[in-house]
Amino acid sequence: ALRRASSPASSEFITTNRPLQTLTAVANLQFPEGSVALDSAFYVERSHIESLCCETVVKPGSLIWIKAPEMMGKSSLMTRILACANREKYHAVYLDLSAVDRGILTNLDKFLRWLCLMVSRQLKLENKLNEYWDTEILGSNDNCTAYFEEYLLAEIDAPIVLGLDEVERLFPHTEVVEDFLGMLRSWHEKAKISDIWKKLRLVMAHSTEVYIPLDMNQSPFNAGVPVELQEFDSQQIYDLARLHGLDWNEVQLRELVSAIGGHPYLVRLAMYEI
């Protein structure tokens, strides 16, 4: 194997003899697309990130937010965080905002109702939105908070880990995203003083290619544990090459890095084609 270089995708390759499982049936390679499946041999761990996230998600009221450019492995990492939660017998809920209709994303009340309903379904709980949603007096954030506090968290004995993927889908809709992210920040703060909110752990992922200006006191992105994914370093690229059955030398590895850098998807796509 290769010792890690001082920076991602470095051309400093140092050969050692660390053993690594190699792929025996290269003909069975699947085209790399989307997130890397939980049982895939081609998932390359990043130094300490997976262990840090798994240690964090078991802490009461924890908040993890994952940020990186497109196709850097955010969803793949979230899948593994939720798997850690499942191993702890927690209730893991995954919601992909890229699949939500635009008409819902642009309306705060519809979006929060959608959120409550989808969480209820994944927890196998009855839909009780009509019982908890007071449209005459309370605002949408208050209704959503009450639904979680008085119903979802109260009904479930084990902690709930809520994974929100593709959060940047909300960024263009300032009338929705500011209130929503402010609510999530308030939930995280409530966990410091309330036992019921200690049962909720949040994992959010968003692309850094979409920017939104937010009040730092309201944003959840300056709270909790931030995880910023970087390009693969030389060690990770070499490990991935061996998983693809490629017995590359230092020159070949340098040529790949000089062409495409260490972007995880591009590296894996290149190795698939080769």
Side-chain angles (χ1 to χ4, degrees), residues 91-257:
H91 298 280
V93 176
Y94 174 78
L95 297 178
D96 181 2
L97 300 192
S98 68
V100 185
D101 293 346
R102 179 180 174 84
I104 293 176
L105 292 176
T106 57
N107 183 292
L108 179 63
D109 196 69
K110 285 184 178 181
F111 175 67
L112 295 184
R113 283 175 177 265
W114 172 87
L115 174 70
C116 292
L117 177 59
M118 296 303 292
V119 174
S120 298
R121 286 183 173 179
Q122 292 200 33
L123 294 176
K124 310 297 184 187
L125 294 176
E126 181 184 353
N127 173 14
K128 292 188 177 182
L129 281 173
N130 291 334
E131 296 181 29
Y132 285 89
W133 222 262
D134 185 344
T135 57
E136 293 185 4
I137 300 176
L138 298 179
S140 300
N141 276 12
D142 290 332
N143 281 315
C144 184
T145 299
Y147 194 80
F148 267 78
E149 182 173 7
E150 299 173 18
Y151 180 44
L152 298 180
L153 293 172
E155 284 288 322
I156 298 298
D157 52 359
I160 299 173
V161 180
L162 176 57
L164 298 172
D165 206 355
E166 304 279 353
V167 175
E168 71 274 6
R169 283 273 333 264
L170 288 171
F171 288 1
H173 313 300
T174 55
E175 69 279 7
V176 175
V177 69
E178 290 183 0
D179 284 341
F180 175 62
L181 294 182
M183 181 186 70
L184 296 184
R185 173 66 180 264
S186 73
W187 290 359
H188 176 63
E189 295 297 329
K190 285 176 183 288
K192 298 176 181 179
I193 57 175
S194 170
D195 288 339
I196 193 72
W197 285 101
K198 284 181 170 65
K199 294 168 63 177
L200 180 67
R201 293 93 198 268
L202 296 170
V203 184
M204 297 185 293
H206 73 93
S207 172
T208 55
E209 292 161 334
V210 182
Y211 172 75
I212 177 174
L214 289 173
D215 182 347
M216 295 301 290
N217 295 319
Q218 296 296 321
S219 171
F221 297 145
N222 67 330
V225 176
V227 176
E228 186 167 4
L229 301 183
Q230 305 290 337
E231 291 190 345
F232 283 163
D233 59 27
S234 54
Q235 173 70 69
Q236 293 162 327
I237 294 172
Y238 181 75
D239 287 350
L240 194 57
R242 292 190 63 188
L243 286 171
H244 282 78
L246 301 173
D247 186 18
W248 283 358
N249 58 34
E250 183 177 344
V251 173
Q252 291 169 304
L253 289 166
R254 283 178 173 172
E255 287 179 351
L256 179 70
V257 170

